[in-house]
């Protein structure tokens, strides 16, 4: 069991499969990209599967989310999913993606055992998408989401970040579109995860701003804390149901007290929090021939030292040095 000193138990594992991405979102990385991890530094497919097996069979993990960078860029992704689906007990498996490669991979991922996907889409406007991502791939994302829905990777959840001066007015349109296409929309407050440190708390589109905008067109009924559990998103029933919309308010409404996540970076580091400034190395233990029991002990010790909160509610918060693409969302 992965328990910390505050009594929280981690049952949800986020696994970054690569630091690379085929978009250059302004809130994530600079236009020229980043210095990618060298291939020898990345965990191999076998190492990833071993750590997931250990987490599921020995440490109480019940859900696995594959992230990046962009996880669809990982050549061995389908095989990793297939091998993890064969574990006993079988974890629930999902994937967070920018959607560009979903049209060609959705069927194979479903057949391998993936349960569902989260797709990042911040705008319905192709020109705004190009400005935000520095790539002209809006149509590819829409087609990928449709392919995921048709393949049965449902519910397809859509993650949207609203940015001042770009898409701040799109909340109602995005929700209307999501309801029409049977997607579950979740707005995420912009977080300080950009490598160029351009994030500013002032002017940020907050959860309150988002909800106020949505209520100009929809009636929202809050589900409440009991229904939310440890999920990061607060959810509201839209116009009486059955559709719902979520808001992940990491900055203005931190939910650290209910956190049940542990994170594994693409180069084999345990992170106890997305915003942690310290990591614990599992890769060296793997490659030095350490038995499962020793690796499990290192992981448990890392989680035991998890801090009470992310620190995002502190105005003096300092952004972590590792960019989001290297950590996994």
């Amino acid at each position: 069991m992965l328990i910390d000193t505050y009594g929280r138990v981690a049952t949800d594992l986020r696994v970054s499969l690569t630091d690379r991405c085929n978009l250059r979102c302004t809130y994530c990385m600079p236009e020229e990209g980043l210095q990618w991890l060298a291939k020898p530094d990345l965990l191999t497919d076998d190492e990833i599967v071993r750590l997931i097996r250990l987490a599921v069979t020995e440490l109480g993990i019940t859900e696995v989310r594959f992230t990046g960078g962009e996880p669809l860029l990982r050549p061995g992704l389908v095989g990793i999913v297939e091998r993890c689906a064969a574990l006993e007990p079988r974890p629930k498996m999902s994937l967070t993606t920018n959607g560009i490669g979903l049209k060609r991979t959705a069927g194979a991922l479903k057949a391998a055992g993936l349960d569902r996907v989260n797709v990042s889409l911040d705008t319905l406007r192709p020109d705004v998408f190009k400005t935000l991502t520095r790539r002209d791939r809006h149509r590819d994302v829409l087609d990928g989401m449709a392919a995921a829905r048709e393949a049965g990777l449902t519910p397809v959840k859509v993650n949207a970040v609203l940015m001042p001066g770009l898409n701040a007015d799109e909340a109602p349109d995005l929700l209307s579109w999501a309801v029409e296409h049977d997607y579950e929309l979740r707005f995420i407050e912009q977080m300080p995860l950009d490598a160029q440190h351009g994030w500013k708390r002032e002017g940020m589109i907050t959860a309150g701003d988002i909800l106020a905008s949505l209520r100009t067109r929809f009636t929202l009924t809050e589900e409440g804390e009991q229904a939310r559990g440890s999920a990061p998103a607060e959810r509201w029933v839209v116009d009486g149901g059955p559709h719902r919309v979520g808001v992940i308010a990491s900055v203005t409404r931190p939910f650290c007290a209910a956190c049940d996540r542990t994170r594994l970076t693409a180069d084999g580091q345990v992170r106890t929090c997305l915003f942690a400034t310290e990591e614990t190395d599992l890769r060296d233990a793997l490659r030095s021939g350490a038995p499962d029991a020793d690796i499990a002990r290192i992981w448990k010790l890392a989680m035991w030292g998890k801090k009470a909160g992310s620190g995002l509610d502190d105005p003096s918060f300092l952004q972590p040095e590792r960019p989001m693409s290297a950590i996994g969302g």
Side-chain angles (χ1 to χ4, degrees):
M1 181 181 294
L2 295 171
I3 188 170
D4 65 33
T5 55
Y6 298 92
R8 297 169 296 192
V9 178
T11 58
D12 184 335
L13 171 61
R14 307 295 171 95
V15 182
S16 174
L17 297 179
T18 178
D19 60 329
R20 297 174 183 265
C21 188
N22 43 11
L23 296 180
R24 296 291 182 270
C25 296
T26 56
Y27 52 77
C28 184
M29 69 172 73
E31 185 171 4
E32 65 274 15
L34 300 166
Q35 184 174 349
W36 307 123
L37 292 168
K39 188 173 181 180
D41 293 336
L42 295 171
L43 293 179
T44 66
D45 293 359
D46 287 345
E47 288 170 338
I48 290 171
V49 173
R50 181 184 174 190
L51 289 175
I52 294 174
R53 175 185 58 77
L54 177 61
V56 169
T57 61
E58 302 294 335
L59 298 175
I61 292 298
T62 59
E63 298 185 35
V64 176
R65 172 85 60 85
F66 297 106
T67 70
E70 172 46 50
L72 296 183
L73 296 179
R74 177 90 187 199
L77 172 61
V78 172
I80 291 171
V81 171
E82 188 172 31
R83 293 166 68 183
C84 292
L87 294 173
E88 291 292 342
R90 182 195 186 283
K92 295 179 181 178
M93 291 186 294
S94 59
L95 178 143
T96 296
T97 172
N98 62 31
I100 288 176
L102 265 182
K103 184 176 181 180
R104 60 178 173 76
T105 57
L109 288 169
K110 179 64 177 179
L114 192 71
D115 294 307
R116 63 169 189 83
V117 294
N118 286 28
V119 182
S120 299
L121 182 67
D122 303 319
T123 179
L124 299 176
R125 305 167 185 163
D127 59 325
V128 176
F129 181 91
K130 188 174 181 179
T131 298
L132 279 169
T133 67
R134 305 183 179 105
R135 298 291 186 270
D136 190 12
R137 306 296 298 272
H138 191 255
R139 184 73 255 169
D140 294 326
V141 178
L142 297 181
D143 290 346
M145 293 171 64
R149 184 185 58 211
E150 291 164 10
L153 293 171
T154 54
V156 175
K157 295 185 179 181
V158 181
N159 296 336
V161 176
L162 298 183
M163 305 278 288
L166 287 170
N167 61 341
D169 62 333
E170 284 199 67
D173 289 341
L174 280 163
L175 181 53
S176 179
W177 168 83
V179 168
E180 178 185 352
H181 292 84
D182 200 25
Y183 300 138
E184 184 174 326
L185 179 62
R186 307 190 315 170
F187 292 98
I188 303 175
E189 286 183 338
Q190 185 192 1
M191 295 178 284
L193 292 168
D194 55 322
Q196 64 271 35
H197 298 327
W199 180 81
K200 295 289 188 297
R201 187 180 296 268
E202 301 79 14
M204 183 189 73
I205 308 299
T206 68
D209 298 330
I210 294 165
L211 292 169
S213 179
L214 292 176
R215 287 186 171 116
T216 64
R217 197 182 303 179
F218 303 94
T219 299
L220 303 181
T221 305
E222 189 171 5
E223 279 194 333
E225 291 299 318
Q226 186 172 359
R228 179 183 184 184
S230 61
E234 299 176 78
R235 297 204 308 174
W236 284 262
V237 178
V238 180
D239 289 342
H243 293 94
R244 286 161 172 74
V245 63
V247 178
I248 299 177
S250 301
V251 179
T252 63
R253 304 181 187 181
F255 39 86
C256 302
C259 181
D260 65 350
R261 285 168 289 289
T262 183
R263 299 175 183 274
L264 185 64
T265 68
D267 54 349
Q269 311 299 306
V270 170
R271 290 180 70 93
T272 59
C273 174
L274 185 60
F275 303 99
T277 56
E278 299 176 348
E279 298 175 333
T280 301
D281 185 17
L282 296 185
R283 186 187 62 199
D284 282 355
L286 280 172
R287 294 181 180 178
S288 66
D292 284 356
D294 287 356
I295 296 171
R297 178 181 56 80
I298 295 170
W299 205 332
K300 288 178 180 178
L301 285 173
M303 293 305 296
W304 183 251
K306 184 173 181 174
K307 295 180 179 179
S310 65
L312 281 178
D313 52 347
D314 181 351
S316 64
F317 175 80
L318 296 176
Q319 296 129 298
E321 291 303 315
R322 283 255 258 178
M324 187 176 184
S325 61
I327 298 169

